Amino acid sequence: MKIIKYPSREKWAEMLKRPVFDSAGLEQSVQAILNDVKQNGDAVIRKYALQFDKAELTEFAVTVKEFGIAEMECSAELKQALKQAKSNIEKFHLSQKEEVKIIETVPGVECWRKSVGIERVGLYIPGGSAPLFSTVLMLGVPAIIAGCNDVILCTPCDKDGKVNAAILVAAKLVGISKVYKIGGVQAIAAMAYGTQSISKVFKIFGPGNQYVTCAKQLVNKEGVAIDMPAGPSEVLVLADETCVPAFVAADLLSQAEHGSDSQVLLISDNEKVITDTLAEVQFQLRVLSRAGIAAKALENSRAILVKDKIEAIELVNEYAPEHLILACKDCETLAEKVINAGSVFIGNYSPESAGDYASGTNHTLPTNGFAKSYSGVSLDSFVRKITFQKLSKQGLEAIGKTVELMAASEGLDAHKNAVSIRLKRS
Amino acid sequence: MKIIKYPSREKWAEMLKRPVFDSAGLEQSVQAILNDVKQNGDAVIRKYALQFDKAELTEFAVTVKEFGIAEMECSAELKQALKQAKSNIEKFHLSQKEEVKIIETVPGVECWRKSVGIERVGLYIPGGSAPLFSTVLMLGVPAIIAGCNDVILCTPCDKDGKVNAAILVAAKLVGISKVYKIGGVQAIAAMAYGTQSISKVFKIFGPGNQYVTCAKQLVNKEGVAIDMPAGPSEVLVLADETCVPAFVAADLLSQAEHGSDSQVLLISDNEKVITDTLAEVQFQLRVLSRAGIAAKALENSRAILVKDKIEAIELVNEYAPEHLILACKDCETLAEKVINAGSVFIGNYSPESAGDYASGTNHTLPTNGFAKSYSGVSLDSFVRKITFQKLSKQGLEAIGKTVELMAASEGLDAHKNAVSIRLKRS
C-alpha cells in the first residue's frame, strides 16, 4: 500500500482514482452472443455451455432431484448459518415495506402510492471458483418479500452439469425453485429476451465478471432494467487511535482478497495507526489462502494521513466508498456526516464481513463512486411505486382553475379542456 | 382510431405495439457533440447555442435581473396557479420522506438506513414551442425536499437570449437559482461533464426530444445516473357504461396533443361506450389548437372492445401504460388489480391533466412499457438510501459463527478472519 501524507486538496482527485476497466473492447463479442441467443434461443445456449463451461446440457432447469442431492451435500452447520443469515436479511428488508398513506392534498383530491413487486425478475449468481451463495440470499429475500411473481436464477454449472450445492440450498431456502444452469453472457441474454425454456424477465440483478457486466449494460440500453452499474469492490476504513490495528488490517485484507482489481483505502489522522496497521496487513497476509490476489489488490491501494477528522470525512465523501468502516472514538457522530457511501460499518466490532453475510443489510452496493447517485439493493429495487389519485367533483373544482391556467400557458388546450368539460357539467 | 373487437390473446402483443423510434441513427452525431463539449467546454456550447437556438450568448447563467423581469411578465393568476400546484406537489412528496428506523436483527446488531439527498443534480427543461414549466415543479420540488445541495436547471433560450418567464418563475418558486440558458445535447453534456461555468452533476432529470433522450442514454452508459429511459407519452382509458364519453374523449385528446408519436388506448366492455367516445373525439378535435398533432397521434391509437373487466385489466397490465384512467363503476376495486402502470386516475373526475399539473402526484412517469420495471419520479429519485450497521461485541458473537462458516464456504478466508480475529480478543 502506498502511504500518502497530508495530501493537498489539488491532489485528491488523482489520489482517489480507481482502477479503470474499459469494457468497450468487449462490446462486440458480447453483443454477438446476445444477438445469437436472441435469434436462436436454447440451441445456442447449449453451444455456449459446452464452449465456456465444458458442460453438455440437455435440460437447463435444476430438477427436484438435484435440489434434494444438494440438501444432502450441504452440511447441517452451513444450513444453520444460511438460516440465521436469511432471518436477519429478512427482518431488515421487511422493515423497508412501505404502508399506503392516503394524502389529501386539497379537500377532495386524494393521492397515494403503492409498492407492487416487479412481476418477473432474474438473478444472476456467478459460480466457478467463488460460488456466491450469499448473494442468493441478498437478492432472493427481497425479491420474495416484494411479491415478485416469477423469480428465476441463472448460475453456471461445472463440466458435469452440477451446480454448487450451497447455491441450491440457499435458493430453496428463500423460495426460488426455478434455477437454470446457464452462466455468462448467454444467461443475461436468456433472461433479457426469453428463450424456449426461459421466460423473459423485466429486471436483472446480480454480480458477474466483465463479460456479464458488459452484457447487463447492453441489455439495459435495450430497455431491460438492471440493479445498478458495476465495478470492482472496495472498502475505505477511517481509523483513529481508538482502533485495533489488527482488526483494521483484517478488514482491509477481507476486501483485498475479492479480486486483484479491488481497492482498499485507509485514512487516519494518526501516523502510528497507519504504520501499525500496515505491519499487521503484512503479518496477516502470509497465511491467507488468497494471498496472491490480496497482495495484488494492495498494490492499487493507499493509506492516507490527514490532519483531522473533518478533512477525513471530506475525503470519504469525495471518494464515495462502497463500504465504509468507521473505527474511531466518535464514530456515531462521524456517521451522521457521511453523504456518499454504499454501506457504513460503525465501531470496532462491525467488520465488513458482518454485512457481507449476516447482519441483515444488503451486500449488493454501488461501487466505483456510484454511491454518489445510486443506492444499494433494497426492497425498493424489486418494486415499482405506482401512484394513484382520486378526485371528487369538489376536488376537481378546487384545483381545476390551476390546471386550466397552467395547461393553457403551456399551449396545451386539450389538457385544459379535459378539466373544463368536467367543470361545465357540474 | 382503429377499433378492434374481441381480439384473441395471440393478437395482444401485435395490437399493443408502440410506435418504435430507434435512436441508433442519432448516436454518432449526438456522441460528437458530447465529446466536443467534454473537451472544449463553454466555447463550443456558445457555438451550438448559435447553431441550434440562433442565440448569441456571452453568459449562460440567468441573472437576478432576468429573474426579476420574468416575475413582472408572469400574470398574477399564473403565479397563483403555480403556487397551488407547488403546494400540492410538496404535500405529496413530503409524505414520501422516510423515518430512520433502527432494526435490531439480533441482540447487539443494529441496522438502519438513511435517505441522503444526491449532492448535485441537473434538471433539463425543454423550451421552444412547449415550455414545460410544470416539469420545473415536478422535478424541482422533490429535489429541494430531498436536500440536494446543488440543483441546477438547463433550458434553451430564444434567439434573443430569453428564457420563458414561467420557467423562471417556477424555478424561483421552488428555490432553484442556478438556471442556465443551454438546451439540447450540449446541455446534457455540460451537466454530465462540467465546464468552466457549469459544475458536473451526479444525476440528470427531465424530458426532451430524441436528441436529448439519446444524449441522456449515452452519458448514462458512462456512469452519470438519469431519471429513467424515455419514450413517447401515452394514456390508456378503461371505461364502462358509467363513464361520460365526452370526458373520456377529452382525456384521450389531452394525451394525443402531446405529439404525433403519442399513443392513446381506449378499452371497454361496452360497444356503445366506444362508439360514443369516438364520435366525441371527432367533435372535440375540431376546435383544438393542436388538432393536427392530435389527429396524427390518433392514427397510432386503438379502441379495443373486450368481453369483461377481467380481460380488460389483464390487457392493462400487459400494456403497462404510463397513465391509466379508470372510468368505471367498480374503479376502486379495479385499481387494486393494477400491477403495471405509472400513475392511475380513478373515477370520472380524475382526468390525467389533474396529475399532469396540480393534484400532487408526479408527472414524470415510465413510458413505453417501462412501468413493468421502473417507477415514476418521486422523492426516492433524488436520494440515496445509505445503510448503516453497528455491532456490539455481543452482536458480533451472536452472528460471528454464521459469518465465519459462510465466508469459509465461499472460499473467502480473509472475510472469515475479520470476524475470527475480533472474537479471539473477546
Side-chain angles (χ1 to χ4, degrees):
Chain A
M1 280 175 88
K2 196 176 160 195
I3 302 178
I4 302 170
K5 291 183 194 173
Y6 307 114
S8 64
R9 212 162 275 251
E10 317 70 274
K11 296 217 173 113
W12 281 18
E14 182 58 32
M15 177 179 74
L16 297 179
K17 267 200 180 147
R18 283 151 162 111
V20 176
F21 177 75
D22 185 5
S23 70
L26 304 177
E27 263 190 44
Q28 230 185 331
S29 57
V30 170
Q31 189 68 61
I33 300 178
L34 292 176
N35 295 344
D36 198 7
V37 173
K38 193 178 193 172
Q39 278 161 35
N40 304 306
D42 287 351
V44 296
I45 294 183
R46 272 186 206 101
K47 182 186 82 182
Y48 291 120
L50 193 59
Q51 187 179 335
F52 297 121
D53 306 324
K54 315 284 171 236
E56 222 166 309
L57 294 176
T58 44
E59 295 294 315
F60 304 124
V62 170
T63 61
V64 174
K65 195 176 154 197
E66 289 172 307
F67 273 107
I69 295 171
E71 280 294 332
M72 291 190 301
E73 285 178 357
C74 191
S75 72
E77 290 77 20
L78 184 56
K79 274 188 221 164
Q80 191 45 45
L82 287 170
K83 270 183 201 152
Q84 188 188 32
K86 184 211 167 203
S87 157
N88 291 349
I89 297 165
E90 205 162 53
K91 269 182 215 161
F92 187 56
H93 288 77
L94 269 172
S95 79
Q96 294 163 6
K97 274 202 164 186
E98 211 175 77
E99 291 301 305
V100 173
K101 280 184 283 188
I102 298 178
I103 306 298
E104 196 168 31
T105 51
V106 293
V109 179
E110 292 180 329
C111 303
W112 66 95
R113 60 177 191 169
K114 189 173 103 175
S115 294
V116 181
I118 298 175
E119 276 182 288
R120 299 211 284 261
V121 298
L123 317 182
Y124 183 75
I125 304 292
S129 72
L132 297 181
F133 56 81
S134 57
T135 307
V136 177
L137 304 183
M138 293 293 175
L139 300 176
V141 167
I144 298 295
I145 294 174
C148 299
N149 246 342
D150 211 5
V151 184
I152 70 171
L153 190 158
C154 285
T155 189
C157 59
D158 67 13
K159 63 180 180 14
D160 304 316
K162 232 185 128 185
V163 168
N164 175 277
I167 288 180
L168 294 183
V169 171
K172 200 176 166 195
L173 184 65
V174 300
I176 298 172
S177 55
K178 291 183 189 163
V179 176
Y180 299 99
K181 301 172 186 176
I182 310 178
V185 175
Q186 60 272 27
I188 304 302
M191 295 194 279
Y193 309 126
T195 70
Q196 295 85 338
S197 28
I198 318 292
S199 32
K200 175 186 163 45
V201 302
F202 302 143
K203 190 168 184 178
I204 297 174
F205 295 79
N209 60 22
Q210 47 194 247
Y211 294 92
V212 168
T213 297
C214 178
K216 281 174 66 187
Q217 271 174 359
L218 290 173
V219 301
N220 184 226
K221 229 184 104 196
E222 293 181 50
V224 179
I226 61 170
D227 44 3
M228 70 184 82
S233 196
E234 63 206 16
V235 73
L236 190 162
V237 184
L238 177 54
D240 69 7
E241 73 285 359
T242 66
C243 81
V244 182
F247 295 0
V248 175
D251 292 335
L252 296 174
L253 286 167
S254 78
Q255 188 56 49
E257 77 170 340
H258 264 302
S260 50
D261 56 357
S262 284
Q263 197 178 42
V264 306
L265 292 183
L266 170 62
I267 297 181
S268 183
D269 57 356
N270 183 312
E271 192 160 0
K272 189 169 180 323
V273 165
I274 292 181
T275 322
D276 291 356
T277 303
L278 296 196
E280 267 290 338
V281 164
Q282 290 312 317
F283 178 75
Q284 293 180 25
L285 181 62
R286 293 171 311 153
V287 295
L288 290 182
S289 58
R290 294 166 71 98
I293 292 171
K296 191 108 185 102
L298 291 173
E299 289 172 19
N300 299 324
S301 299
R302 293 165 192 80
I304 303 168
L305 179 64
V306 295
K307 66 173 197 294
D308 55 28
K309 296 275 173 57
I310 297 173
E311 194 179 12
I313 209 80
E314 281 170 7
L315 209 45
V316 164
N317 285 325
E318 184 61 32
Y319 184 69
E322 180 191 11
H323 305 97
L324 169 64
I325 301 179
L326 299 173
C328 305
K329 68 167 171 294
D330 44 357
C331 51
E332 306 230 23
T333 319
L334 284 174
E336 307 231 325
K337 299 199 167 87
V338 174
I339 294 171
N340 299 321
S343 197
V344 184
F345 299 77
I346 301 174
N348 286 332
Y349 285 88
S350 304
E352 188 205 307
S353 337
D356 285 341
Y357 292 105
S359 66
T361 60
N362 208 291
H363 78 194
T364 307
L365 295 166
T367 54
N368 202 34
F370 292 126
K372 289 185 178 173
S373 47
Y374 291 88
S375 310
V377 161
S378 72
L379 190 59
D380 299 347
S381 316
F382 293 89
V383 301
R384 280 89 20 85
K385 297 185 181 173
I386 305 177
T387 53
F388 293 82
Q389 56 214 287
K390 187 171 196 301
L391 284 76
S392 65
K393 215 165 160 184
Q394 178 207 12
L396 189 63
E397 279 161 3
I399 63 167
K401 211 182 146 200
T402 287
V403 175
E404 290 179 315
L405 247 163
M406 288 178 72
S409 303
E410 286 192 347
L412 298 172
D413 274 9
H415 280 66
K416 178 188 176 189
N417 190 49
V419 172
S420 312
I421 202 165
R422 284 170 164 94
L423 294 183
K424 271 182 220 144
R425 302 252 176 142
S426 293
Chain B
M1 279 176 88
K2 198 175 161 196
I3 302 178
I4 302 169
K5 292 182 194 174
Y6 307 114
S8 64
R9 210 161 277 251
E10 321 64 277
K11 297 216 171 114
W12 281 18
E14 182 59 30
M15 178 180 73
L16 297 179
K17 266 198 180 149
R18 285 153 160 110
V20 176
F21 177 76
D22 185 4
S23 70
L26 303 178
E27 263 189 44
Q28 229 184 332
S29 57
V30 170
Q31 189 69 61
I33 300 178
L34 292 176
N35 294 345
D36 199 6
V37 173
K38 192 178 194 172
Q39 278 161 33
N40 303 307
D42 287 349
V44 297
I45 294 183
R46 275 187 204 100
K47 182 186 83 182
Y48 291 120
L50 193 60
Q51 186 179 336
F52 298 121
D53 306 324
K54 315 284 173 238
E56 221 165 308
L57 294 176
T58 42
E59 293 295 314
F60 304 124
V62 170
T63 61
V64 174
K65 196 177 155 197
E66 288 172 307
F67 272 108
I69 296 172
E71 279 295 331
M72 291 190 301
E73 284 178 357
C74 191
S75 74
E77 291 76 22
L78 184 56
K79 273 187 223 164
Q80 192 44 48
L82 288 171
K83 271 183 200 152
Q84 189 188 33
K86 184 211 166 201
S87 157
N88 292 349
I89 297 164
E90 207 163 53
K91 270 181 213 158
F92 187 56
H93 288 76
L94 269 172
S95 79
Q96 293 164 6
K97 273 201 165 187
E98 211 174 77
E99 292 301 305
V100 173
K101 281 184 281 189
I102 297 178
I103 306 298
E104 196 168 34
T105 51
V106 293
V109 179
E110 293 180 329
C111 303
W112 65 96
R113 61 178 190 167
K114 189 172 103 175
S115 294
V116 180
I118 298 174
E119 276 183 285
R120 299 210 286 260
V121 298
L123 317 182
Y124 183 76
I125 304 292
S129 72
L132 298 181
F133 56 81
S134 58
T135 307
V136 178
L137 304 183
M138 293 293 175
L139 300 177
V141 168
I144 299 294
I145 294 174
C148 299
N149 246 342
D150 211 6
V151 184
I152 70 172
L153 189 157
C154 284
T155 189
C157 57
D158 66 14
K159 62 180 182 14
D160 304 317
K162 233 185 128 186
V163 169
N164 176 277
I167 288 180
L168 294 184
V169 172
K172 200 175 164 191
L173 184 64
V174 301
I176 298 172
S177 56
K178 290 183 189 164
V179 177
Y180 299 98
K181 302 171 184 177
I182 309 177
V185 175
Q186 60 272 27
I188 304 302
M191 294 193 280
Y193 309 127
T195 70
Q196 295 85 340
S197 29
I198 320 292
S199 34
K200 175 185 164 46
V201 303
F202 302 143
K203 190 167 184 178
I204 297 174
F205 295 79
N209 60 22
Q210 46 194 246
Y211 294 92
V212 168
T213 298
C214 178
K216 281 173 66 188
Q217 272 174 358
L218 290 174
V219 300
N220 184 225
K221 230 183 106 195
E222 293 180 51
V224 179
I226 61 170
D227 44 3
M228 70 184 81
S233 197
E234 64 205 17
V235 72
L236 189 161
V237 184
L238 178 53
D240 69 9
E241 73 285 358
T242 66
C243 81
V244 183
F247 295 1
V248 175
D251 292 335
L252 295 175
L253 285 167
S254 77
Q255 188 57 49
E257 77 170 341
H258 265 301
S260 51
D261 57 356
S262 283
Q263 197 178 41
V264 306
L265 292 182
L266 169 62
I267 297 181
S268 184
D269 56 355
N270 183 310
E271 192 159 1
K272 191 169 178 323
V273 165
I274 291 180
T275 323
D276 291 355
T277 302
L278 296 197
E280 268 288 341
V281 164
Q282 291 311 316
F283 178 74
Q284 294 180 23
L285 181 62
R286 293 171 312 152
V287 296
L288 290 181
S289 57
R290 295 166 70 98
I293 292 170
K296 192 105 186 108
L298 291 173
E299 288 173 19
N300 299 325
S301 298
R302 293 166 192 79
I304 304 167
L305 180 65
V306 294
K307 65 173 200 293
D308 55 27
K309 296 276 174 56
I310 296 171
E311 196 179 10
I313 210 79
E314 280 171 7
L315 210 43
V316 164
N317 285 325
E318 184 62 31
Y319 183 69
E322 180 192 10
H323 304 97
L324 169 65
I325 301 180
L326 300 172
C328 305
K329 67 168 172 292
D330 44 358
C331 52
E332 305 230 24
T333 321
L334 284 174
E336 308 231 324
K337 298 199 168 87
V338 174
I339 294 171
N340 298 322
S343 196
V344 184
F345 300 77
I346 300 174
N348 287 331
Y349 286 89
S350 305
E352 188 203 307
S353 337
D356 285 342
Y357 293 105
S359 66
T361 60
N362 209 291
H363 78 192
T364 306
L365 295 165
T367 55
N368 201 33
F370 292 126
K372 289 185 178 172
S373 47
Y374 291 88
S375 310
V377 162
S378 71
L379 190 59
D380 298 349
S381 315
F382 293 89
V383 301
R384 281 89 19 87
K385 298 184 180 173
I386 305 177
T387 52
F388 292 82
Q389 57 215 286
K390 185 172 197 303
L391 284 77
S392 65
K393 214 165 162 185
Q394 178 206 12
L396 188 63
E397 279 162 4
I399 64 167
K401 208 182 148 200
T402 287
V403 175
E404 289 179 317
L405 247 162
M406 289 177 70
S409 303
E410 286 192 349
L412 298 172
D413 273 10
H415 280 66
K416 179 186 174 191
N417 190 49
V419 172
S420 312
I421 201 166
R422 285 170 164 93
L423 294 184
K424 271 182 221 146
R425 303 254 175 140
S426 293

